[in-house]
Amino acid sequence: GPGPEVLSGLDVIALLGNQVIATLKAACELMRRSLGATLVLSGGAGHSTPLLYDNLRLSSYGGLVRQGLVRETMAEAEMYTAVAQAAFHIPAGSILIESRSRNSAENARFSLQILKDANRRQRTILVLQDPTMQRRSTITWAREAEIAGSDARVLSHAVFVPAVEPGLDGMPRFPAGQDQGTWTLERFLALILGEVKRLRDDKDGYGPLGRNFLPHLEIPAPVIESYDRVSASRLNALSAR
């Protein structure tokens, strides 16, 4: 994780709505080690919301679900807040909640506005997101900050790098432990295939020729070749389940 010199200079730790419990734990632990930072919890209701709830219910934070502090009707940012306060004892005054966003651009845009409205410093921002979306989300935050006229330095912290290994049936599987509080294999495949679609700068992507959430990005040829290979295999059908 980030060293003491990075943590001491952080103004904002931003956790973006996703289903991976390790990102929530890492954001809260980093917050407890940072002096004077603001914890921004961003995420409305979307595809990941019921998956986040289920993962929380089955995690070490499941007691908060049973106590009614985490409810499936909550936005992702509200679930995060309940855990941050009850399990990590992070003061309410150190947390800003953004619970309207539905995509990565809104995560950034709405959060930056909330920080500005609250008059919080935002010169250095550390972004945490589902590892499959981490790079795109950080680029999106940097772009939205620039559009907003902010000179914020946006840093990325991937909590872990996802891995797969060959299974006995010839299909990929997660290494031991990576299937806890993360994704099903079907969901993981859908996410990584979806990332390539979003990163592509065409009418269906998130670049200037599409939804304009990202600057133009060049995707390395081996990545496109791997994407095409997986899309043409039985893994593509698995990802659509």
Side-chain angles (χ1 to χ4, degrees), residues 38 43 48 50 52 64 90 98 110 134 155 162 175 195 197 212 221 224 231:
T38 297
S48 294
L52 170 61
L64 301 179
I90 297 174
E98 185 290 296
F110 296 167
Q134 180 69 40
L155 306 176
E195 280 302 291
K197 293 178 183 177
N212 201 27
I224 296 297
S231 296

Side-chain angles (χ1 to χ4, degrees), residues 10 13 21 35 38 49-50 56 78 91 93 100 105 121 123 125 132 186 201 212 216 222:
L10 284 180
I13 296 171
I21 302 304
L35 296 176
T38 297
T49 311
L56 284 171
E78 293 169 334
R100 296 188 299 122
R121 287 183 7 164
R123 288 181 299 185
I125 301 171
T132 66
E186 292 85 352
D201 190 8
N212 201 27
H216 174 78

Side-chain angles (χ1 to χ4, degrees), residues 5-14 31 34-40 93-96 111-126 141 145 150-154:
E5 69 286 349
V6 173
L7 290 173
S8 64
L10 284 180
D11 297 318
V12 177
I13 296 171
M31 185 64 190
S34 303
L35 296 176
T38 297
L39 178 62
V40 172
S94 296
I95 299 173
L96 290 180
S111 296
L112 289 165
Q113 186 62 52
I114 284 174
L115 283 161
K116 182 179 179 181
D117 292 344
N119 199 29
R120 301 291 179 96
R121 287 183 7 164
Q122 49 177 296
R123 288 181 299 185
T124 305
I125 301 171
L126 185 70
W141 268 70
S150 168
D151 59 355
R153 180 178 174 224
V154 181

Side-chain angles (χ1 to χ4, degrees), residues 29-202:
E29 290 178 343
L30 288 170
M31 185 64 190
R32 293 204 299 193
R33 293 164 49 201
S34 303
L35 296 176
T38 297
L39 178 62
V40 172
L41 302 174
S42 174
H47 298 301
S48 294
T49 311
L51 304 174
L52 170 61
Y53 175 79
D54 284 343
N55 279 348
L56 284 171
R57 182 173 55 83
L58 297 172
S59 75
S60 59
Y61 311 118
L64 301 179
V65 174
R66 293 187 289 275
Q67 294 171 42
L69 296 175
V70 172
R71 301 181 299 278
E72 58 186 329
T73 54
M74 286 176 159
E76 292 160 8
E78 293 169 334
M79 295 186 203
Y80 284 162
T81 302
V83 175
Q85 292 182 332
F88 292 89
H89 310 293
I90 297 174
S94 296
I95 299 173
L96 290 180
I97 305 168
E98 185 290 296
S99 58
R100 296 188 299 122
S101 56
R102 297 162 297 173
N103 55 53
S104 57
E106 289 183 351
N107 280 148
R109 192 177 308 139
F110 296 167
S111 296
L112 289 165
Q113 186 62 52
I114 284 174
L115 283 161
K116 182 179 179 181
D117 292 344
N119 199 29
R120 301 291 179 96
R121 287 183 7 164
Q122 49 177 296
R123 288 181 299 185
T124 305
I125 301 171
L126 185 70
V127 172
L128 292 89
Q129 170 62 293
D130 181 316
T132 66
M133 310 177 209
Q134 180 69 40
R135 182 168 294 188
R136 174 171 59 85
S137 296
T138 304
I139 294 170
T140 302
W141 268 70
R143 186 171 187 270
E144 288 294 330
E146 184 179 1
I147 291 171
S150 168
D151 59 355
R153 180 178 174 224
V154 181
L155 306 176
S156 174
H157 177 48
V159 175
F160 65 93
V161 177
V164 293
E165 61 186 19
L168 296 177
D169 58 356
M171 298 293 282
R173 68 183 181 191
F174 293 130
Q178 194 180 287
D179 57 347
Q180 303 297 312
T182 55
W183 325 269
T184 61
L185 182 62
E186 292 85 352
R187 171 70 170 165
F188 175 73
L189 290 169
L191 286 170
I192 59 174
L193 291 174
E195 280 302 291
V196 177
K197 293 178 183 177
R198 289 170 175 82
L199 291 169
R200 276 180 157 166
D201 190 8
D202 56 27

